[in-house]
Amino acid sequence: MAYRRTPAVQARLDAQREAVLQSAVGLLAERGYGGCTMAAVADRAGIATGSLYQHFANKAELSVELFRRVVTREIAAVNAAVARRDAPQQRIAAVVETFAARALRAPRLAYALLVEPADAVVDGERLVFRRAFRDVIATEIAAAVAAGELPEQDPVLTAAALVGAVGEALAGPLAAEPAPAHDPAPAPTPAHEPAPAPEHSDNTTVVPALVSFTLRALGGRDDSDA
């Protein structure tokens, strides 16, 4: 007769898995993928490394689930910002503004999501991540074109180009921020809050510049235009 977990046992395992993922998010935001080892995650979660393997077969499996957890949060933040804007062009600007601002507020985490070398399975998730943002932008471009606010164009192609350009523009500032994975880790940041950018960073012009670039690339009118 096959063993069946009791509801109490399953609830305990579910709670432990959630604690593992929250711990992994904190480590990822502090040390990146390089410092997010199975042993380090288990230690942060307060469990034995062997217990971690009850939930994830290896680091690659953990990394994929971790990536999805963080990306889902970022996409939700972008969608919330889009919902607060009225016009399609404003909603497109909100996608770029929100994504870039959140990335620069949590540079180590954003670096891990966008740039840091990782397992091949994580690279596959990055494609899904970019396509999700591409689709949000493409939907708004199509609406703006239909409303006559933007010139005729391929919404998906334009959106993909914008996602690539924004990611590349952020790569430099993000790469300049992370500390090496072996450096002592700072105090943990709550999983629901982005870590503050170091005070020596001056990225105040990056987000407005990216928004301006986006609107001009679309063929729209930026507020700074004469």
Side-chain angles (χ1 to χ4, degrees), residues 33 60 63-64 67 111-131:
Y33 282 113
S63 295
V64 167
F67 193 94
Y111 179 82
L113 291 177
L114 299 173
V115 180
E116 183 179 0
D119 295 319
V121 291
V122 173
D123 286 336
E125 291 300 313
R126 282 175 174 151
L127 288 176
V128 176
F129 181 36
R130 289 197 291 268
R131 287 168 183 161

Side-chain angles (χ1 to χ4, degrees), residues 25-185:
V25 170
L27 280 172
L28 185 66
E30 295 164 13
R31 309 180 192 178
Y33 282 113
C36 205
T37 65
M38 296 290 275
V41 171
D43 182 66
R44 174 65 64 86
I47 63 175
T49 303
S51 297
L52 183 55
Y53 287 95
Q54 291 183 303
H55 304 285
F56 303 99
N58 48 47
K59 182 181 176 181
E61 187 175 302
L62 171 61
S63 295
V64 167
E65 186 64 25
L66 173 58
F67 193 94
R68 291 173 180 172
R69 166 68 63 95
V70 177
V71 165
T72 298
R73 184 179 70 191
E74 295 307 306
I75 292 175
V78 165
N79 283 330
V82 168
R84 292 193 292 268
R85 306 293 178 89
D86 294 325
Q89 285 192 68
Q90 292 177 342
R91 292 196 288 268
I92 297 168
V95 175
V96 174
E97 181 179 34
T98 303
F99 174 73
R102 289 175 65 85
L104 292 171
R105 286 200 301 270
R108 192 65 183 89
L109 180 60
Y111 179 82
L113 291 177
L114 299 173
V115 180
E116 183 179 0
D119 295 319
V121 291
V122 173
D123 286 336
E125 291 300 313
R126 282 175 174 151
L127 288 176
V128 176
F129 181 36
R130 289 197 291 268
R131 287 168 183 161
F133 279 100
R134 177 204 67 188
D135 292 345
V136 172
I137 295 174
T139 297
E140 301 305 333
I141 292 175
V145 170
E149 296 181 11
L150 291 176
E152 286 291 334
Q153 56 195 287
D154 182 332
V156 175
L157 180 61
T158 301
L162 286 172
V163 170
V166 170
E168 183 63 25
L170 289 172
L174 295 178
E177 295 293 349
H182 61 272
D183 279 4

